[in-house]
Amino acid sequence: MPRFSAVIGQQSKRAVQALLCHCASAHPVSAAERGSRWRQARRVLLLSGAGIGDALMATPLLCFLRHRYPHIRLGVITHTRSAPVFRAFPRLELICYHEDPSRITPLLLALWRCWRFRADVFLGAQPCNTLRHALFAAISRARLRLKHVSPERSEPDTACIFHYLCPTPEGRHRVELNLDLLRALGENIPEGTLRPVYPVADHARQRARQLLPQTFPWVALHPGGGRAQKWWGTDNFRAVAHSLCQRGYGIVLLGGRGEEPLGAQLAAGIQPVVNLTGQLDLAETAAVLQHCRLFIGNDSGLMHLAAAVGTPVVAIFVATDPAHVGPYSPMATVLGDGRGNIPTVEHVLAAAEHWLSSTEHEESNGRS
């Protein structure tokens, strides 16, 4: 039997859902009307998911808006964790929230700033399927609110407050799903033409050069990321690292705060290695990744960051669908399908050899 607090929590969510649908209900609008309201828009709010990867997969939408409509007022609602992604882009108004339910004041402040923004259009980038997301959409008061059809397992349905729900075809990548929001407004965006980006600051590049001397060509490894169910395994990463070291590469270990024990465990017995796990901010991590010949890691925000700065990626998928959230880059190899087909060390080394041989060939051509 569920605990009383859990029951009350669900009842409260249903009450908020009913209130939102009563006070902020939106009638579906035709394609022509969507286009008309979009052309009149001067203030646009984009809601991004909470993770670094979610934020990076929303950057193509963001870049299109800024390039196509340089004079609109553009705001982004995001979690404090992923806010550093958007701080790298100029002329954005950030509205940040925190998931900790004990920190209600930052959420109320974020909702107030959302209300003050007075958006004309609200775009709920993937994933936009929680009651908190619906609160932001409702309080925005936007005359046009769009998101995607929510999965069946999501929180109480709040589709009633959106004017249009984009379909979510199975196997469609999240980058294209986000761009579908703009296509639903009449924008012509060919498939595969926009990819995640992250502009690396000069000061971060200088820091990366200090951390990684030119003694070795470097390969970045990230053995963690998100849920442990997505991890390939420390022993597998250690075997890959030893093989690369024997070929003359240096190993850089990366990861966020809280992953330090994982980095220390992997670093033991590997030479040459630089363990930067938990020591860098996002801008410095991006610069280190850009300084490396290759990134090898699990499905994580760092995987998307490596792809966004143009570093070749070998992405290992154990428990998630790469067709939906894989690295959206032509310089990436995806191994595993998230359905039990886990790659071997030999598979990962073969993929690494492909990209390392390519970068070595390019550098030798540049020197000749």
Side-chain angles (χ1 to χ4, degrees), residues 180-306:
D180 285 344
L181 294 170
L182 297 179
R183 295 180 180 115
L185 299 175
E187 298 293 346
N188 180 20
I189 307 174
E191 298 271 334
T193 56
L194 296 176
R195 300 187 182 275
V197 294
Y198 181 85
V200 181
D202 289 338
H203 71 85
R205 287 197 179 95
Q206 293 174 2
R207 174 71 171 146
R209 286 192 288 268
Q210 294 169 356
L211 292 169
L212 302 179
Q214 296 296 328
T215 315
F216 304 99
W218 297 97
V219 175
L221 302 186
H222 181 212
R227 308 186 309 275
Q229 294 92 331
K230 300 196 296 182
W231 298 357
W232 188 44
T234 306
D235 290 342
N236 290 329
F237 277 103
R238 181 177 291 108
V240 168
H242 279 305
S243 179
L244 292 172
C245 290
Q246 290 172 1
R247 283 194 51 194
Y249 291 95
I251 300 300
V252 184
L253 300 181
L254 296 174
R257 289 179 178 85
E259 294 183 331
E260 292 90 346
L262 194 63
Q265 180 185 358
L266 182 55
I270 298 175
Q271 285 294 335
V273 64
V274 175
N275 183 8
L276 299 176
T277 307
Q279 300 181 35
L280 307 178
D281 62 23
L282 189 74
E284 293 169 337
T285 302
V288 166
L289 286 168
Q290 197 174 59
H291 199 70
C292 291
R293 295 279 187 89
L294 178 68
F295 170 88
I296 304 173
N298 305 306
D299 172 25
S300 69
L302 292 193
M303 173 200 74
H304 290 287
L305 186 62

Side-chain angles (χ1 to χ4, degrees), residues 318-333:
V318 175
T320 44
D321 182 7
H324 184 51
V325 293
Y328 205 60
S329 165
M331 298 174 62
T333 299

Side-chain angles (χ1 to χ4, degrees), residues 43-56:
R43 297 176 296 273
V44 178
L45 261 180
L46 170 66
L47 185 142
S48 168
I52 296 294
D54 298 327
L56 288 165

